[in-house]
Coordinates of all heavy atoms in Angstrom, one line a residue:
A1 N -0.7 3.0 14.3 CA 0.5 2.1 14.2 C 0.7 1.9 12.6 O 1.8 1.2 12.3 CB 0.1 0.8 15.0
M2 N -0.1 2.1 11.7 CA 0.2 1.9 10.4 C 1.3 2.8 10.0 O 1.4 4.0 10.4 CB -1.0 2.4 9.6 CG -2.2 1.5 9.6 SD -3.6 2.0 8.3 CE -5.0 1.0 8.8
K3 N 2.0 2.4 9.0 CA 3.1 3.2 8.4 C 2.4 4.0 7.3 O 1.3 3.7 6.8 CB 4.2 2.2 7.7 CG 5.0 1.4 8.6 CD 6.1 0.8 8.0 CE 6.9 0.0 9.0 NZ 8.1 -0.6 8.3
A4 N 3.0 5.0 6.8 CA 2.4 6.0 5.8 C 2.6 5.3 4.4 O 3.6 4.8 4.1 CB 3.2 7.3 5.8
A5 N 1.5 5.1 3.7 CA 1.6 4.6 2.3 C 2.0 5.8 1.4 O 1.9 7.0 1.5 CB 0.1 4.3 2.0
T6 N 2.8 5.3 0.4 CA 3.3 6.3 -0.6 C 2.5 6.0 -1.9 O 1.8 5.0 -2.0 CB 4.7 6.0 -0.9 OG1 4.9 4.7 -1.5 CG2 5.5 6.1 0.4
E7 N 2.6 6.8 -2.9 CA 2.1 6.6 -4.2 C 2.4 5.2 -4.8 O 1.6 4.6 -5.4 CB 2.4 7.7 -5.2 CG 1.9 7.5 -6.6 CD 0.4 7.8 -6.7 OE1 -0.3 8.3 -5.8 OE2 -0.2 7.4 -7.8
E8 N 3.6 4.8 -4.5 CA 4.1 3.4 -5.1 C 3.3 2.3 -4.5 O 3.1 1.3 -5.1 CB 5.6 3.4 -4.8 CG 6.3 2.3 -5.4 CD 6.3 2.3 -7.1 OE1 6.0 3.3 -7.6 OE2 6.2 1.1 -7.6
D9 N 2.9 2.5 -3.1 CA 2.3 1.3 -2.5 C 1.0 1.0 -3.3 O 0.6 -0.2 -3.4 CB 2.0 1.8 -1.1 CG 3.1 1.6 -0.1 OD1 3.7 0.6 -0.2 OD2 3.5 2.6 0.5
W10 N 0.3 2.0 -3.7 CA -1.1 1.7 -4.4 C -0.7 0.9 -5.8 O -1.6 0.3 -6.3 CB -1.8 2.9 -4.8 CG -1.9 4.0 -3.7 CD1 -1.6 5.3 -3.7 CD2 -2.5 3.7 -2.4 NE1 -1.8 5.9 -2.4 CE2 -2.4 4.8 -1.6 CE3 -3.0 2.6 -1.8 CZ2 -2.9 5.0 -0.4 CZ3 -3.5 2.6 -0.4 CH2 -3.4 3.9 0.2
R11 N 0.6 1.0 -6.2 CA 0.8 0.4 -7.6 C 1.5 -1.0 -7.4 O 2.1 -1.5 -8.4 CB 1.6 1.3 -8.4 CG 0.9 2.6 -8.8 CD 1.8 3.5 -9.6 NE 1.1 4.8 -9.8 CZ 0.1 5.0 -10.8 NH1 -0.4 4.2 -11.5 NH2 -0.3 6.4 -10.8
T12 N 1.6 -1.4 -6.2 CA 2.6 -2.6 -5.8 C 1.9 -3.8 -5.5 O 1.0 -3.8 -4.8 CB 3.5 -2.2 -4.7 OG1 4.3 -1.0 -5.0 CG2 4.5 -3.4 -4.3
E13 N 2.3 -4.8 -6.3 CA 1.9 -6.2 -5.8 C 2.8 -6.8 -5.0 O 4.0 -7.3 -5.3 CB 1.7 -7.0 -7.1 CG 1.3 -8.7 -6.9 CD 1.3 -9.5 -8.0 OE1 2.1 -9.2 -9.0 OE2 0.6 -10.6 -8.0
Y14 N 2.6 -6.7 -3.6 CA 3.6 -7.2 -2.6 C 4.0 -8.7 -2.5 O 5.1 -9.1 -2.4 CB 3.0 -6.8 -1.1 CG 2.7 -5.4 -1.0 CD1 1.4 -4.9 -0.9 CD2 3.8 -4.4 -1.0 CE1 1.0 -3.6 -0.6 CE2 3.4 -3.1 -0.8 CZ 2.1 -2.6 -0.5 OH 1.8 -1.3 -0.4
L15 N 2.9 -9.5 -2.8 CA 3.2 -10.9 -2.6 C 3.8 -11.3 -1.3 O 4.7 -12.2 -1.2 CB 3.9 -11.5 -3.8 CG 3.4 -11.4 -5.2 CD1 4.3 -11.8 -6.2 CD2 2.1 -12.2 -5.2
D16 N 3.5 -10.4 -0.2 CA 4.2 -10.5 1.0 C 3.2 -10.1 2.1 O 2.0 -9.7 1.8 CB 5.5 -9.6 1.0 CG 6.4 -10.0 2.0 OD1 6.3 -10.9 2.8 OD2 7.6 -9.4 1.9
A17 N 3.7 -10.1 3.4 CA 2.9 -9.7 4.5 C 2.9 -8.2 4.6 O 3.1 -7.6 5.7 CB 3.4 -10.4 5.7
I18 N 2.4 -7.6 3.6 CA 2.2 -6.1 3.5 C 0.8 -5.8 2.9 O 0.5 -6.5 1.8 CB 3.3 -5.4 2.7 CG1 4.7 -5.7 3.4 CG2 3.1 -3.8 2.7 CD1 5.8 -5.3 2.6
L19 N 0.0 -4.8 3.5 CA -1.2 -4.5 2.8 C -1.4 -3.0 2.9 O -1.1 -2.4 3.9 CB -2.3 -5.1 3.8 CG -3.8 -4.7 3.2 CD1 -4.2 -5.3 1.9 CD2 -4.8 -5.2 4.4
S20 N -1.8 -2.3 1.8 CA -2.0 -0.9 1.8 C -3.6 -0.7 2.0 O -4.3 -1.5 1.6 CB -1.5 -0.3 0.4 OG -2.2 -0.8 -0.7
V21 N -3.8 0.4 2.8 CA -5.1 0.7 3.3 C -5.5 2.1 2.8 O -4.7 3.0 3.2 CB -5.4 0.5 4.8 CG1 -6.7 0.8 5.2 CG2 -4.9 -1.0 5.2
R22 N -6.6 2.3 2.5 CA -7.2 3.7 2.0 C -8.5 3.8 2.4 O -9.4 3.0 2.2 CB -7.0 4.0 0.5 CG -7.2 5.5 0.3 CD -7.2 5.8 -1.3 NE -7.6 7.2 -1.5 CZ -7.8 7.7 -2.7 NH1 -7.6 6.9 -3.8 NH2 -8.2 8.9 -2.8
V23 N -8.8 4.9 3.1 CA -10.3 5.3 3.4 C -10.7 6.2 2.1 O -10.2 7.2 1.7 CB -10.3 6.1 4.8 CG1 -11.7 6.6 5.0 CG2 -9.8 5.3 5.9
V24 N -12.0 5.8 1.6 CA -12.5 6.5 0.6 C -13.9 7.0 0.9 O -14.6 6.6 1.9 CB -12.7 5.6 -0.7 CG1 -11.2 5.3 -1.2 CG2 -13.4 4.3 -0.4

């Protein structure tokens, strides 16, 4: 159900109901 993260997501301060997730 997750949306696809872009490179920009890793660089974004959302201050909103959005969270980027990465498996390392």
Side-chain angles (χ1 to χ4, degrees):
M2 287 188 195
K3 294 185 177 179
T6 67
E7 176 72 13
E8 190 61 25
D9 283 309
W10 311 127
R11 303 183 184 277
T12 299
E13 181 184 25
Y14 300 112
L15 299 172
D16 203 351
I18 305 170
L19 176 67
S20 56
V21 182
R22 183 182 179 191
V23 176
V24 294

